[in-house]
Amino acid sequence: MLLSPEMAGAANQNDINQELQQGGRIHLPAGTYILTDLIILQSNTILEGEPGTVITIPDHAGWPAWKPLISGNRVQNVTIRNLEINANSNGNSETPHGAGFYNCIYMIDCDNVQVYNCTFHNSLGDGLRTKRCENIKFYNNLVYRLGHEGFYGIDSQYIECFSNRITTRTNSGLRIWNSANVRFHDNVIDAQLDAGGGDPGIQIEDSKGTVSNVEIYNNVLNRTWGKGVWLVAYDAGVSNTQGVLIHHNLFYEIGQSYNIPSTGGIVNDGFQDTQIYNNIFDGVKNNAFRNQAGGQGTIIKDNVFTNTAQHTAISQTGTGYAIADLVGANLSVVNNCFYNNEKGDVYQTSFSNSDFRDPKTNQISSGWIWTGSTWTCNYVKPMGLGSVPLTTTIRLQLMAIIYSILYCTTFVHHF
């Protein structure tokens, strides 16, 4: 079904909703669709655009909290693709970030949802937020200047987020809370480098003891504002054995923040049995791995820890060591490479079978190779680390070009 973008105001979402009621594929031609009410998804539908299809809201829209631009409730078999969602945070600046306003897409009690080849920007809330959903795929999306998370899965399971290009603002790039069976892989995440730059690139949160089967791999985390990956458990989550796998990721100059104390490549606040292997941590601020609570059963092996530096602004216990165990969890640290870490290699933990050679000039067991300008391995797409990270001053066009270079795709946008 083909709709016309020439209609304005309420006619836009009314016509879209009417066609969604019929099911099938709803195609929105290029044009700007200004919503005065939300789009309501139906089962067995595809909502798609094309280069130049933009969904937005007016200035001073006045919508209540938790009313998103696009809503799905108890639907299944839904695809959203090839859309640009500009949630107009500048025009609604009287409304706070991260308080439930103007989420781009919010799905509740849904099954089999795919969101891909979309651009999410200038929101006061999340890109895609799911609650009690199953079988979710979020991929090939470009995300920046949001007011909360790029993707946020709550009480959901069977989640896969991959090949996304995310610049964080306000909070994290990818996040789950009390969710299971999750794969975050092949994403590139950095931060808006100012006080509004958010915190972790990836956040895994457990308060019900339900987090399990989570794997984070083949990602490039580059100059995040706070943590690279944050594992946080509280309430019933502290007695759970989560067993998260974190492997073959590049953590580069993580923790640029001057206003967040607990920066670090991976910061653990209560998770157990985490396995961290074949990652590279280069130039991380504060600590490459910082254990602040829990940590029992954690295995750290076959990684590279190099050029760890003290926190940029906040003096604290253990800062500047590659690995700091602040709670005495008896970490297993074996067969890693340590080189040129400012304060030392480990703080309040032991290690064995270590390699102390320069990983940029010697072949090491982690599988990572320094090319002269970037780190690469067989599993992770290389990234030009010398380039200026994305900030609020870089336009969408430049981001789209970088995205296409990184993933060798034919991402096309209308400007």
Side-chain angles (χ1 to χ4, degrees):
M1 182 64 63
L2 182 68
L3 295 178
S4 170
E6 298 175 356
M7 301 168 293
N12 278 333
Q13 74 271 349
N14 289 347
D15 281 12
I16 295 170
N17 287 335
Q18 182 177 352
E19 297 304 327
L20 284 167
Q21 290 282 349
Q22 309 304 313
R25 183 174 67 94
I26 291 51
H27 182 86
L28 306 181
T32 299
Y33 297 77
I34 302 174
L35 307 182
T36 57
D37 208 342
L38 75 174
I39 293 172
I40 303 172
L41 298 167
Q42 305 294 329
S43 293
N44 306 309
T45 54
I46 297 171
L47 178 63
E48 67 175 18
E50 60 184 47
T53 302
V54 181
I55 291 175
T56 188
I57 58 174
D59 293 349
H60 315 298
W63 294 11
W66 307 115
K67 179 176 180 177
L69 279 66
I70 300 175
S71 173
N73 201 326
R74 298 184 182 277
V75 297
Q76 58 185 0
N77 305 323
V78 173
T79 296
I80 301 171
R81 64 192 183 196
N82 305 325
L83 295 175
E84 177 183 342
I85 302 179
N86 175 358
N88 192 14
S89 57
N90 291 342
N92 291 274
S93 58
E94 67 275 11
T95 306
H97 290 228
F101 292 92
Y102 308 118
N103 292 309
C104 296
I105 305 171
Y106 192 7
M107 312 289 291
I108 302 175
D109 296 314
C110 298
D111 183 23
N112 193 17
V113 175
Q114 294 192 70
V115 177
Y116 63 93
N117 293 349
C118 292
T119 298
F120 299 87
H121 65 102
N122 290 80
S123 172
L124 294 164
D126 302 307
L128 171 62
R129 183 185 184 102
T130 71
K131 187 173 184 178
R132 298 189 302 271
C133 294
E134 295 188 2
N135 302 310
I136 305 146
K137 289 190 175 183
F138 183 80
Y139 61 98
N140 289 348
N141 299 296
L142 182 63
V143 180
Y144 66 104
R145 285 187 59 82
L146 299 190
H148 205 230
E149 330 292 351
F151 169 84
Y152 190 8
I154 306 167
D155 296 320
S156 298
Q157 61 176 329
Y158 300 106
I159 297 167
E160 187 179 12
C161 297
F162 61 96
S163 297
N164 299 291
R165 182 66 179 88
I166 302 173
T167 297
T168 63
R169 180 176 77 161
T170 305
N171 203 43
S172 61
L174 303 172
R175 179 181 178 183
I176 60 166
W177 184 17
N178 299 325
S179 297
N181 306 307
V182 178
R183 300 290 181 268
F184 289 163
H185 64 93
D186 295 284
N187 302 284
V188 176
I189 303 174
D190 63 8
Q192 175 178 306
L193 293 179
D194 57 32
D199 191 348
I202 295 174
Q203 181 170 334
I204 311 296
E205 188 173 357
D206 189 1
S207 65
K208 296 182 178 179
T210 54
V211 171
S212 65
N213 192 22
V214 174
E215 191 171 4
I216 301 168
Y217 61 100
N218 297 17
N219 301 285
V220 174
L221 294 115
N222 177 40
R223 299 187 178 98
T224 60
W225 189 241
K227 309 148 186 76
V229 174
W230 188 19
L231 308 174
V232 53
Y234 51 95
D235 297 341
V238 298
S239 58
N240 186 23
T241 301
Q242 293 87 3
V244 174
L245 304 179
I246 305 175
H247 64 93
H248 293 97
N249 302 284
L250 170 56
F251 296 83
Y252 186 75
E253 295 187 355
I254 299 299
Q256 296 291 315
S257 170
Y258 56 80
N259 58 357
I260 299 173
S262 57
T263 62
I266 301 171
V267 176
N268 184 51
D269 280 306
F271 273 48
Q272 302 180 56
D273 279 11
T274 307
Q275 295 189 43
I276 301 167
Y277 58 95
N278 292 101
N279 303 281
I280 188 155
F281 301 83
D282 185 1
V284 176
K285 311 294 184 184
N286 205 26
N287 304 108
F289 178 76
R290 184 174 179 87
N291 193 51
Q292 300 188 142
Q296 293 75 18
T298 297
I299 298 173
I300 304 173
K301 65 179 182 179
D302 299 314
N303 303 282
V304 175
F305 301 96
T306 185
N307 301 318
T308 308
Q310 296 185 66
H311 194 286
T312 57
I314 302 173
S315 178
Q316 56 191 295
T317 301
T319 188
Y321 290 84
I323 299 173
D325 183 7
L326 306 184
V327 294
N330 193 27
L331 310 175
S332 174
V333 181
V334 60
N335 201 37
N336 298 283
C337 174
F338 296 97
Y339 183 79
N340 195 38
N341 299 297
E342 182 176 356
K343 294 292 288 185
D345 298 326
V346 297
Y347 179 81
Q348 293 189 174
T349 192
S350 59
F351 59 90
S352 61
N353 299 327
S354 299
D355 188 339
F356 300 104
R357 296 174 297 169
D358 184 349
K360 290 186 176 181
T361 58
N362 294 274
Q363 186 173 355
I364 48 179
S365 62
S366 69
W368 288 88
I369 297 172
W370 176 251
T371 68
S373 60
T374 191
W375 291 100
T376 186
C377 74
N378 290 334
Y379 304 97
V380 184
K381 297 179 179 66
M383 179 180 183
L385 297 174
S387 61
V388 177
L390 297 170
T391 69
T392 57
T393 62
I394 295 182
R395 296 176 58 85
L396 175 61
Q397 185 172 12
L398 178 58
M399 298 180 76
I401 292 170
I402 293 171
Y403 182 94
S404 64
I405 291 171
L406 286 171
Y407 295 111
C408 301
T409 64
T410 56
F411 183 90
V412 180
H413 198 86
H414 174 81
F415 297 96

